[in-house]
Amino acid sequence: MKSSLILSLLLAAGLSACKPVTPEGGSQSTLPSNQKGADITYQINVYSFADSDGDGYGDIKGITEHLDYLDALGATALWLSPIQTCASYHGYDVLDYSSINPRLGTEADFKELIDKAREKNIDIYMDYVLNHSGRGEWFSSATSSESSPYRSFYVLSDNPTADVAAGRVDNYAGASSPGMGSWHKISGGDVGYKGRLHFSLNWGAKTITVTKSDDSPQSSNPAASKWLWIGSAGAVGLYETSSGLFEITIDVDTDWGFLVRSSLSSWDDGTKWGGDGGSITLGTPFKLNSSTAADITFGGSSTWYFASFDASMPDLNYGPYAKASESEAFKTLAESADKWIRMGVNGLRLDAVMWIYQEQADANASFLAQWYDRCNATYKARGGEGDLYMVGEAFTETARVAPYYKGLPSLFNFSYWWTVKDRIGRAKGNDFARTVLWFRDQYKPYRSNFIDAIKLSNHDEDRTGNDLGRSLPKMKLAGALLLTSPGKPFIYQGEELGYWGEKSRGDEFIRSPMKWTREGRIASGAFGGKIDIGMLGPEISVEAQLEDEDSILRMYKAFARARNTCPALSHGQMAEVTSRIDALALWTMSYGGQTVLVAHNFGNTPVQTALPEYKLTKTVVSNGEYSVKDGTLSLGPFASAVFEQ
Ligand code: MG
């Protein structure tokens, strides 16, 4: 059932008055599923959520077995990490868009999940990767024969520099260089090299000369200003032997060639230097360029492909953006989406939408509108209620996200989380509502009925707990903010348990498995030992936290319940209430004649304020210490309270 319909039922049933939810009645207390009026999505890493068959990997049945947990948490939708057949554990290198990854389950398992979730008023959103595929049968076929039916699916060129200059690379949408990504030589012949080589970089002439060497190999120069980026070794610092001349002799073992970098802190334009499509000849100066910056290879075939991300994920090619829907790749991908939408999927999360046409917002929005219309038509033909939900990942700040609303109904709001952590870090709450309203103002010119997908951290970012110094009170405040802000909140697996984790240690550490019981097994098979055992102790488990009235999990449940039963919180218009205290955020949310006052203390010292114009008698939900006396509200450190008006 759609939340809009639930909302009308709630109002019709006289439930427009918010139900006080603290203290919560018993650890297992749940709201009847048909009374969830909010749009709360829970983001699941399928491979590390719950393992149903004991093979160590999370799977689809594991989710089905935990629907009660997700229902009690107040979820009305689940965004699943990619579940299609793929090469990696994370799933973002899809090999077959129409089949389920056997490690995660079967189509029957997926259908069962959709149906059982539906009984609890929970929608299923699939992660759809449109920017690139994995290197599967399509790629093999496309790159081995010019008559392959998949030849047009990828961005291929025998001379990338010339093709880009002539505007023949549709993927660039008219830009002269990509916002991100590289050209890679298609395997065939010796692309890489193994042996001892001397490198001589002439920075003035922007050439590099590579020769065989019998000299002793040198170690990387730790004080270098120019580096080789080579093989799996990564950065090797060069020595400046005379002005503008950089040299080193090393043992090379690379299966793709190498690049030259003038910065290690950035991959921005102008810091990465490669070739223009040709191979290097030993002993002959090789001209570097930073616009194409293709891998410098040692031979091999003459055809190149473009990849925004890793070489293992070639970009898909949809032709000129204005008629992308006519491309073979679009039609094939859309047919796969049709299959899942007809099965009962109610939403798609689109990965990396900025890179489909290399950061060209208008081109990307045009493409996305075509994709949305196609998928929504299938949804409506299925008899789906309202419109299909679709949210895009444009991983950038609000002003640059906004134009994508020309193409999609919903986009993630990364700035929201960046603002939450910045303001908590600075104990600055009294411009929070203004900032959130400013975000929303940016979207309005592009789509009046935009759905602002607000979030804290996700599977690509340092954990909320990490950025908040593992402070439980701060993590609770962040969760309370998320669930009292306008928009459509997304809760990332583990945030409700107070997980931490740092991306620089490896992506696995920000995708840790759920800890269901104090002593039980976790779905860690995908991670090759990259598990923070110290974090995943007994007390962070769901079992322990359900028993602890003070736990972050209980806080999430209470605030989600408030949002689900209080239309003003879930659907209300936000209005800033002036706060003269730096740390104190105040705003109202109003809907259908109902108003609530929301108060959060962003600081670690108590705050007090007189609020003569507001009623402080009926608490909808609260977190931390608070009290009311003679019209004055006192909030303890990092505390929150919501009052019905
Ligand atoms: Mg399993």
Side-chain angles (χ1 to χ4, degrees):
M1 202 184 306
K2 284 274 165 183
S3 64
S4 53
L5 182 56
I6 303 236
L7 185 67
S8 352
L9 291 176
L10 282 172
L11 293 168
L15 290 171
S16 60
C18 300
K19 287 181 159 181
V21 294
T22 46
E24 197 184 356
S27 63
Q28 300 298 326
S29 159
T30 61
L31 188 69
S33 297
N34 61 1
Q35 287 185 21
K36 291 187 296 189
D39 269 342
I40 300 174
T41 304
Y42 186 85
Q43 177 191 351
I44 290 180
N45 296 323
V46 181
Y47 48 82
S48 67
F49 185 68
D51 175 23
S52 71
D53 57 5
D55 69 351
Y57 287 81
D59 44 50
I60 294 168
K61 268 188 182 294
I63 303 169
T64 309
E65 288 174 358
H66 287 86
L67 282 173
D68 283 345
Y69 170 78
L70 296 161
D71 188 30
L73 188 57
T76 51
L78 308 178
W79 154 26
L80 311 185
S81 60
I83 57 170
Q84 294 134 316
T85 302
C86 63
S88 64
Y89 78 84
H90 51 70
Y92 286 96
D93 50 356
V94 179
L95 300 176
D96 177 0
Y97 287 82
S98 297
S99 70
I100 302 284
N101 180 352
R103 184 175 268 167
L104 304 180
T106 63
E107 275 189 41
D109 294 343
F110 189 41
K111 177 69 175 142
E112 181 189 33
L113 170 62
I114 291 171
D115 292 344
K116 293 218 163 142
R118 183 94 318 278
E119 290 167 13
K120 296 182 185 297
N121 179 31
I122 296 174
D123 288 337
I124 301 297
Y125 300 160
M126 275 182 100
D127 205 317
Y128 239 78
V129 190
L130 296 172
N131 180 70
H132 53 265
S133 74
R135 287 176 53 159
E137 283 178 26
W138 290 356
F139 189 72
S140 298
S141 169
T143 56
S144 59
S145 162
E146 291 197 13
S147 59
S148 162
Y150 303 107
R151 185 80 177 172
S152 69
F153 279 38
Y154 295 98
V155 185
L156 303 176
S157 171
D158 287 341
N159 189 335
T161 300
D163 284 345
V164 169
R168 289 191 290 263
V169 179
D170 296 321
N171 183 279
Y172 280 44
S176 58
S177 65
M180 178 171 73
S182 299
W183 290 89
H184 305 277
K185 188 163 270 192
I186 290 166
S187 298
D190 288 325
V191 175
Y193 192 88
K194 194 166 183 177
R196 188 163 301 170
L197 294 174
H198 177 79
F199 294 80
S200 177
L201 170 68
N202 184 330
W203 192 243
K206 295 293 186 301
T207 60
I208 190 160
T209 306
V210 183
T211 50
K212 286 189 180 178
S213 174
D214 294 322
D215 294 344
S216 299
Q218 295 168 275
S219 53
S220 173
N221 175 10
S225 65
K226 305 287 181 288
W227 295 264
L228 300 174
W229 191 260
I230 188 159
S232 56
V236 175
L238 294 160
Y239 295 89
E240 186 161 15
T241 51
S242 62
S243 181
L245 191 68
F246 301 82
E247 298 184 272
I248 197 166
T249 299
I250 52 170
D251 285 326
V252 167
D253 184 359
T254 173
D255 59 6
W256 59 270
F258 70 98
L259 292 166
V260 172
R261 294 180 65 179
S262 56
S263 166
L264 282 190
S265 59
S266 159
W267 283 98
D268 290 348
D269 289 353
T271 65
K272 181 178 69 174
W273 295 77
D276 61 2
S279 298
I280 197 164
T281 303
L282 295 184
T284 303
F286 180 88
K287 184 74 181 168
L288 298 170
N289 82 54
S290 67
S291 56
T292 309
D295 298 345
I296 304 169
T297 65
F298 294 88
S301 78
S302 60
T303 305
W304 298 75
Y305 69 93
F306 182 77
S308 293
F309 297 92
D310 192 80
S312 64
M313 303 191 293
D315 275 30
L316 287 161
N317 173 37
Y318 299 102
Y321 64 83
K323 46 180 190 172
S325 61
E326 295 170 23
S327 69
E328 290 305 313
F330 186 104
K331 286 190 257 183
T332 305
L333 270 285
E335 278 164 23
S336 69
D338 288 347
K339 170 176 172 170
W340 307 118
I341 293 167
R342 288 186 189 122
M343 190 181 277
V345 164
N346 280 344
L348 301 182
R349 177 265 182 188
L350 305 184
D351 186 56
V353 298
M354 291 169 70
W355 304 108
I356 296 169
Y357 286 97
Q358 289 302 312
E359 281 189 299
Q360 304 301 307
D362 286 346
N364 283 321
S366 167
F367 169 88
L368 292 166
Q370 294 170 63
W371 177 261
Y372 181 77
D373 288 349
R374 163 65 193 252
C375 293
N376 195 33
T378 305
Y379 176 77
K380 286 187 176 296
R382 182 192 93 191
E385 192 189 327
D387 289 308
L388 179 71
Y389 180 68
M390 198 178 285
V391 58
E393 180 217 15
F395 200 151
T396 186
E397 76 271 14
T398 301
R400 293 180 64 205
V401 169
Y404 286 83
Y405 273 109
K406 283 190 284 187
L408 288 175
S410 187
L411 286 148
F412 287 115
N413 188 338
F414 288 91
S415 292
Y416 178 84
W417 162 228
W418 300 334
T419 300
V420 167
K421 68 178 172 184
D422 171 73
R423 297 304 194 275
I424 293 177
R426 294 197 283 126
K428 172 79 177 165
N430 66 350
D431 71 348
F432 186 76
R434 204 177 318 148
T435 307
V436 169
L437 289 168
W438 182 86
F439 294 150
R440 298 173 67 82
D441 284 343
Q442 307 312 299
Y443 301 148
K444 278 178 197 156
Y446 297 99
R447 185 179 293 261
S448 59
N449 59 346
F450 65 88
I451 303 170
D452 184 13
I454 53 174
K455 54 174 277 299
L456 304 179
S457 75
N458 72 13
H459 65 293
D460 282 328
E461 300 170 280
D462 286 345
R463 281 280 191 178
T464 298
N466 211 74
D467 285 344
L468 299 179
R470 301 190 189 178
S471 156
L472 205 51
K474 289 182 181 176
M475 283 188 249
K476 286 181 177 177
L477 171 61
L481 285 165
L482 179 72
L483 292 168
T484 53
S485 292
K488 181 177 166 89
F490 279 66
I491 300 171
Y492 175 42
Q493 167 184 324
E495 298 286 283
E496 79 277 27
L497 301 178
Y499 278 13
W500 60 86
E502 202 174 322
K503 188 175 167 72
S504 62
R505 294 185 70 192
D507 286 341
E508 293 85 349
F509 288 95
I510 53 175
R511 301 169 181 179
S512 292
M514 287 294 281
K515 178 85 176 172
W516 292 104
T517 59
R518 284 190 172 88
E519 305 299 342
R521 295 176 61 234
I522 52 175
S524 61
F527 291 153
K530 292 186 178 175
I531 297 290
D532 190 341
I533 296 297
M535 178 183 78
L536 294 171
E539 293 313 305
I540 208 164
S541 67
V542 170
E543 180 184 33
Q545 295 204 35
L546 283 177
E547 292 167 11
D548 175 6
E549 267 188 36
D550 249 359
S551 69
I552 185 169
L553 175 58
R554 292 283 291 273
M555 185 288 300
Y556 264 90
K557 287 183 69 175
F559 274 73
R561 187 184 169 91
R563 192 175 181 97
N564 268 317
T565 51
C566 186
L569 270 183
S570 56
H571 292 72
Q573 288 280 336
M574 183 190 223
E576 183 182 4
V577 173
T578 303
S579 161
R580 292 191 172 76
I581 301 169
D582 252 13
L584 178 65
L586 293 171
W587 68 83
T588 56
M589 299 280 281
S590 302
Y591 183 86
Q594 176 191 76
T595 294
V596 294
L597 174 72
V598 178
H600 298 281
N601 180 4
F602 282 58
N604 63 0
T605 53
V607 294
Q608 250 190 15
T609 191
L611 292 163
E613 289 166 35
Y614 295 92
K615 292 184 210 154
L616 304 173
T617 47
K618 201 165 172 189
T619 309
V620 178
V621 67
S622 69
N623 170 55
E625 300 279 326
Y626 84 100
S627 63
V628 174
K629 196 176 176 197
D630 302 330
T632 292
L633 169 65
S634 304
L635 277 180
F638 307 114
S640 306
V642 179
F643 301 97
E644 190 171 346
Q645 298 304 293

mmCIF file of all heavy atoms in Angstrom, residues 51-59 103, ligand 1:
data_model
loop_
_atom_site.group_PDB
_atom_site.id
_atom_site.type_symbol
_atom_site.label_atom_id
_atom_site.label_comp_id
_atom_site.label_asym_id
_atom_site.label_seq_id
_atom_site.Cartn_x
_atom_site.Cartn_y
_atom_site.Cartn_z
ATOM 1 N N ASP A 51 22.236 -14.327 6.797
ATOM 2 C CA ASP A 51 22.551 -15.557 6.060
ATOM 3 C C ASP A 51 21.563 -16.647 6.450
ATOM 4 O O ASP A 51 21.524 -17.070 7.599
ATOM 5 C CB ASP A 51 23.993 -15.968 6.411
ATOM 6 C CG ASP A 51 24.373 -17.310 5.800
ATOM 7 O OD1 ASP A 51 23.751 -17.702 4.795
ATOM 8 O OD2 ASP A 51 25.294 -17.946 6.345
ATOM 9 N N SER A 52 20.761 -17.098 5.482
ATOM 10 C CA SER A 52 19.719 -18.084 5.817
ATOM 11 C C SER A 52 20.205 -19.518 5.699
ATOM 12 O O SER A 52 19.639 -20.418 6.287
ATOM 13 C CB SER A 52 18.506 -17.896 4.896
ATOM 14 O OG SER A 52 18.827 -18.322 3.577
ATOM 15 N N ASP A 53 21.263 -19.737 4.894
ATOM 16 C CA ASP A 53 21.632 -21.132 4.606
ATOM 17 C C ASP A 53 22.986 -21.542 5.178
ATOM 18 O O ASP A 53 23.492 -22.626 4.879
ATOM 19 C CB ASP A 53 21.594 -21.386 3.094
ATOM 20 C CG ASP A 53 22.508 -20.442 2.325
ATOM 21 O OD1 ASP A 53 23.244 -19.662 2.977
ATOM 22 O OD2 ASP A 53 22.487 -20.476 1.083
ATOM 23 N N GLY A 54 23.574 -20.690 5.976
ATOM 24 C CA GLY A 54 24.789 -21.085 6.681
ATOM 25 C C GLY A 54 26.055 -21.096 5.842
ATOM 26 O O GLY A 54 27.085 -21.611 6.277
ATOM 27 N N ASP A 55 26.014 -20.479 4.639
ATOM 28 C CA ASP A 55 27.243 -20.469 3.834
ATOM 29 C C ASP A 55 28.106 -19.234 4.130
ATOM 30 O O ASP A 55 29.141 -19.033 3.504
ATOM 31 C CB ASP A 55 26.919 -20.557 2.336
ATOM 32 C CG ASP A 55 26.252 -19.294 1.805
ATOM 33 O OD1 ASP A 55 25.883 -18.407 2.621
ATOM 34 O OD2 ASP A 55 26.080 -19.184 0.576
ATOM 35 N N GLY A 56 27.668 -18.423 5.064
ATOM 36 C CA GLY A 56 28.469 -17.256 5.466
ATOM 37 C C GLY A 56 28.126 -15.987 4.711
ATOM 38 O O GLY A 56 28.557 -14.905 5.098
ATOM 39 N N TYR A 57 27.362 -16.110 3.621
ATOM 40 C CA TYR A 57 26.976 -14.938 2.835
ATOM 41 C C TYR A 57 25.528 -14.570 3.135
ATOM 42 O O TYR A 57 24.663 -15.455 3.200
ATOM 43 C CB TYR A 57 27.101 -15.224 1.334
ATOM 44 C CG TYR A 57 28.526 -15.285 0.860
ATOM 45 C CD1 TYR A 57 29.287 -16.439 1.023
ATOM 46 C CD2 TYR A 57 29.124 -14.170 0.268
ATOM 47 C CE1 TYR A 57 30.610 -16.491 0.615
ATOM 48 C CE2 TYR A 57 30.446 -14.220 -0.148
ATOM 49 C CZ TYR A 57 31.190 -15.378 0.027
ATOM 50 O OH TYR A 57 32.487 -15.426 -0.367
ATOM 51 N N GLY A 58 25.287 -13.303 3.288
ATOM 52 C CA GLY A 58 23.915 -12.857 3.387
ATOM 53 C C GLY A 58 23.187 -13.239 2.106
ATOM 54 O O GLY A 58 23.797 -13.374 1.044
ATOM 55 N N ASP A 59 21.873 -13.403 2.193
ATOM 56 C CA ASP A 59 21.108 -13.825 1.023
ATOM 57 C C ASP A 59 19.676 -13.289 1.114
ATOM 58 O O ASP A 59 19.289 -12.686 2.125
ATOM 59 C CB ASP A 59 21.128 -15.353 0.872
ATOM 60 C CG ASP A 59 20.906 -16.062 2.205
ATOM 61 O OD1 ASP A 59 19.933 -15.687 2.892
ATOM 62 O OD2 ASP A 59 21.705 -16.953 2.564
ATOM 63 N N ARG A 103 24.495 -16.847 -5.557
ATOM 64 C CA ARG A 103 24.968 -16.831 -4.174
ATOM 65 C C ARG A 103 23.937 -16.185 -3.235
ATOM 66 O O ARG A 103 23.908 -16.457 -2.043
ATOM 67 C CB ARG A 103 26.283 -16.048 -4.113
ATOM 68 C CG ARG A 103 26.928 -16.042 -2.754
ATOM 69 C CD ARG A 103 28.270 -15.358 -2.811
ATOM 70 N NE ARG A 103 29.332 -16.310 -3.069
ATOM 71 C CZ ARG A 103 30.573 -15.958 -3.421
ATOM 72 N NH1 ARG A 103 30.877 -14.691 -3.558
ATOM 73 N NH2 ARG A 103 31.493 -16.861 -3.625
HETATM 74 MG MG MG B 1 23.767 -17.476 2.550
#
